[in-house]
Amino acid sequence: MSDLNLQQNMATVQRRIARACQKVGRQPSDIQLIAVTKTVDCSVIEQSFHYGVTDIGENKPQEIARKYDLIERPVNWHMIGHLQSNKVKLIVDKVKLIHSVDRQSVVDEIEKRAVAKGIVCDILIQVNIGAESQKSGIATADVKVLLEYVERCQHIRVLGLMCIAPYFADAERVRPYFRKMKAIFDELRTIPLQKSEIKILSMGMTHDFEVAIEEGATMIRVGTGLYGTRNY
Ligand SMILES: *Cc1c(COP(=O)(O)O)cnc(C)c1O
């Protein structure tokens, strides 16, 4: 993979998306690509807009706050990393979607800040699908309770689910986890909801997004596949 050739990297990602879709009879237009820009310079992020990037994801609220002021062209921001309550205020009125909501205390803080700003905040519930102790996300058994909790908040809507699946060198081995996410997603879709609408399934990263698409992802989050290896 070329680190610097954004055009070629984007073409490769698009080709991989198309091939995965073709395999299972889905349309590439049904897959929203989130370009993950953590550690990527603003000048490079802006270059990538020329190749069709419309939505970018960052995992640190401070980075969203910093880059938000530096990037002038309109772009949709996604908060994809672990979110502490005391950082919600940095991003609540800047992002299109928060992917990483996994507990009531963060919901309470988002509601409070959204009320103060007079906005409605769209979120995904992050699920710890591999039950990995080092990963964020709510346990699968508790997803429905959190969804019902958010339904009682006036200024937040749940639009779906997100996961960071366990890592396997052989991406095929992650398939059961993505399949389980899709099953939870489909189950939630049967619950009657007032404001929330379960329609986004955010799963799949550079090395496993084909499997995620085959299993029903509607949003994939791709960093190294577009911008090359990260330099921390
Ligand atoms: C970094 C990151 C990604 C992208 O990972 P790549 O392997 O570089 O595609 C996706 N999702 C989250 C939450 C991340 O932190």
Side-chain angles (χ1 to χ4, degrees), residues 16-17 19-20 205-215:
R16 288 175 57 189
I17 293 171
R19 213 181 299 131
M205 308 178 10
T206 296
H207 89 287
D208 61 9
F209 72 70
E210 285 98 334
V211 181
I213 289 171
E214 288 166 25
E215 295 299 329

Side-chain angles (χ1 to χ4, degrees), residues 36 38 59 80-81 162 164 205-207 221-225 230:
V36 176
K38 60 193 187 207
N59 66 339
I80 62 172
M162 177 271 224
I164 304 172
M205 308 178 10
T206 296
H207 89 287
R221 309 178 308 267
V222 178
T224 49
R230 281 183 286 275

Side-chain angles (χ1 to χ4, degrees), residues 78-222:
H78 295 252
M79 172 62 200
I80 62 172
H82 179 67
L83 185 56
Q84 291 174 294
S85 293
N86 63 357
K87 302 281 164 53
V88 167
K89 61 176 179 291
L90 293 176
I91 57 149
V92 73
D93 57 345
K94 297 184 176 68
V95 297
K96 181 173 187 206
L97 187 63
I98 302 176
H99 292 226
S100 44
V101 175
D102 62 359
R103 60 199 187 280
Q104 288 186 3
S105 57
V106 170
V107 170
D108 291 342
E109 181 67 18
I110 294 171
E111 174 73 1
K112 182 177 126 190
R113 298 289 172 180
V115 167
K117 300 271 185 193
I119 58 173
V120 173
C121 186
D122 289 334
I123 68 158
L124 304 179
I125 293 175
Q126 181 176 351
V127 182
N128 188 352
I129 196 64
E132 296 171 280
S133 57
Q134 78 280 15
K135 282 211 177 112
S136 303
I138 194 166
T140 54
D142 301 329
V143 175
K144 193 170 162 226
V145 171
L146 189 61
L147 169 62
E148 285 164 350
Y149 186 78
V150 178
E151 267 292 280
R152 294 193 291 274
C153 299
Q154 292 307 305
H155 291 253
I156 312 180
R157 285 190 306 201
V158 180
L159 297 189
L161 302 177
M162 177 271 224
C163 77
I164 304 172
Y167 177 83
F168 297 102
D170 173 9
E172 189 56 40
R173 289 183 58 199
V174 82
R175 190 179 295 279
Y177 297 91
F178 289 149
R179 192 164 289 177
K180 183 120 179 276
M181 282 296 291
K182 179 62 160 60
I184 298 168
F185 179 79
D186 286 341
E187 192 189 321
L188 295 185
R189 283 166 67 89
T190 67
I191 302 173
L193 299 166
Q194 295 284 322
K195 307 174 274 111
S196 294
E197 188 188 349
I198 306 300
K199 57 183 182 182
I200 297 173
L201 187 52
S202 169
M203 60 185 192
M205 308 178 10
T206 296
H207 89 287
D208 61 9
F209 72 70
E210 285 98 334
V211 181
I213 289 171
E214 288 166 25
E215 295 299 329
T218 68
M219 219 176 235
I220 60 174
R221 309 178 308 267
V222 178

